[in-house]
Amino acid sequence: MDVDLAAFRSVYKEYEATETELRNRLTDIFAMRLDKVGPDWFRVAEKDGSIEGFLVSCPTRKTPDEFKSWEETTDGGTLMSTYDPSGPNVYVVSLSMLPKAGEGARNMLILHTMGKVVEGGYDQFFFESRLPGLLSWSRRRCRDKGRTVESLTEAERYDFAESYFHSTRDVKGKQVPLDPLLRIYDQIGCTFLRVFPDAYEDAKSMNFGVVGVWRNPVPRALRKNFLVRKVVGGAFCTLSRSHRLTGKAFS
């Protein structure tokens, strides 16, 4: 709960609730999720006995194409209709990191989830990403036009989000997403579907989100072989427990 509050402070400050009310609400929701999906789908990044980040995911029958918003997909965070132990996909419910944790701990959690997808024979994992660079990018574009972000119509806000989503920059001869968060996911082979308005409350993203998908690289025919899944998926999970090896996998 402390990690989540620190990681999304800019988001939670928009909520009409005191910190005590937020803590009580988060305690109830996290306890409900843990009770529903079990500890195997709650992974934490721990350093010197302190939790610096966590990732919650679960099997589901829901698909990336069905996504409308985080609230709708997760039933307000309760996962009542999201979690399905026999589902073919994995949905990443939340990824929260302390600012001091750095990308290494985050990558360890993501790599472990990739291993779970392979080991379990799932088709893919999907998630919605914020666009934390959108607001500042939009403000610069508005200043060039002598306008403000607040003056944009809903249609113009969507056009800005679409344009930003498709914008790229050159990094070592490769075109990568302009948004720094999307670049992280692009680095591990994720693809992105489309922009969604009102994906969740996040001022820096102007409440827009993007659905990302990471597909199981093991051919479907080989996924029926338990040994193949165990060896390949287990390798991902083993690498994820080493900060050094995870760094090599993401380099």
Side-chain angles (χ1 to χ4, degrees), residues 148-169:
T148 65
V149 169
E150 291 73 23
S151 71
L152 296 175
T153 65
E154 287 301 311
E156 289 173 326
R157 286 166 57 88
Y158 185 82
D159 287 343
F160 268 50
E162 272 282 314
S163 180
Y164 179 70
F165 167 54
H166 290 291
S167 295
T168 61
R169 59 180 294 188

Side-chain angles (χ1 to χ4, degrees), residues 137-149 151-152 156 159-160 163:
W137 181 88
S138 298
R139 280 176 173 160
R140 290 194 297 272
R141 296 300 177 279
C142 283
R143 279 198 300 269
D144 294 341
K145 299 173 184 284
R147 300 185 61 185
T148 65
V149 169
S151 71
L152 296 175
E156 289 173 326
D159 287 343
F160 268 50
S163 180

Side-chain angles (χ1 to χ4, degrees), residues 40-207:
D40 202 35
W41 293 100
F42 267 68
R43 311 306 297 184
V44 301
E46 186 179 81
K47 183 178 181 181
D48 300 328
S50 176
I51 294 176
E52 294 195 344
F54 67 90
L55 188 152
V56 180
S57 58
C58 69
T60 185
R61 289 197 175 278
K62 293 186 177 184
T63 69
D65 292 331
E66 295 173 334
F67 179 85
K68 295 178 182 177
S69 70
W70 184 89
E71 289 286 340
E72 190 271 344
T73 301
T74 65
D75 303 303
T78 65
L79 309 184
M80 293 302 292
S81 68
T82 312
Y83 174 61
D84 185 336
S86 61
N89 302 313
V90 170
Y91 179 67
V92 178
V93 180
S94 62
L95 172 60
S96 300
M97 305 297 303
L98 290 179
K100 68 176 183 179
E103 62 181 25
R106 178 203 63 220
N107 292 348
M108 292 169 77
L109 290 171
I110 294 174
L111 189 60
H112 185 273
T113 304
M114 294 161 71
K116 291 278 289 181
V117 168
V118 174
E119 199 170 30
Y122 298 101
D123 290 336
Q124 60 199 343
F125 76 66
F126 69 101
F127 58 95
E128 75 283 349
S129 172
R130 298 180 301 129
L131 290 168
L134 176 59
L135 179 59
S136 59
W137 181 88
S138 298
R139 280 176 173 160
R140 290 194 297 272
R141 296 300 177 279
C142 283
R143 279 198 300 269
D144 294 341
K145 299 173 184 284
R147 300 185 61 185
T148 65
V149 169
E150 291 73 23
S151 71
L152 296 175
T153 65
E154 287 301 311
E156 289 173 326
R157 286 166 57 88
Y158 185 82
D159 287 343
F160 268 50
E162 272 282 314
S163 180
Y164 179 70
F165 167 54
H166 290 291
S167 295
T168 61
R169 59 180 294 188
D170 184 276
V171 175
K172 297 180 180 179
K174 178 185 177 183
Q175 291 300 310
V176 299
L178 180 62
D179 188 84
L181 190 53
L182 294 189
R183 280 203 302 276
I184 293 169
Y185 300 128
D186 175 77
Q187 185 181 14
I188 61 172
C190 291
T191 56
F192 307 102
L193 301 188
R194 63 184 188 276
V195 168
F196 291 86
D198 300 316
Y200 32 42
E201 293 185 38
D202 180 41
K204 291 182 178 180
S205 305
M206 295 169 61
N207 293 351

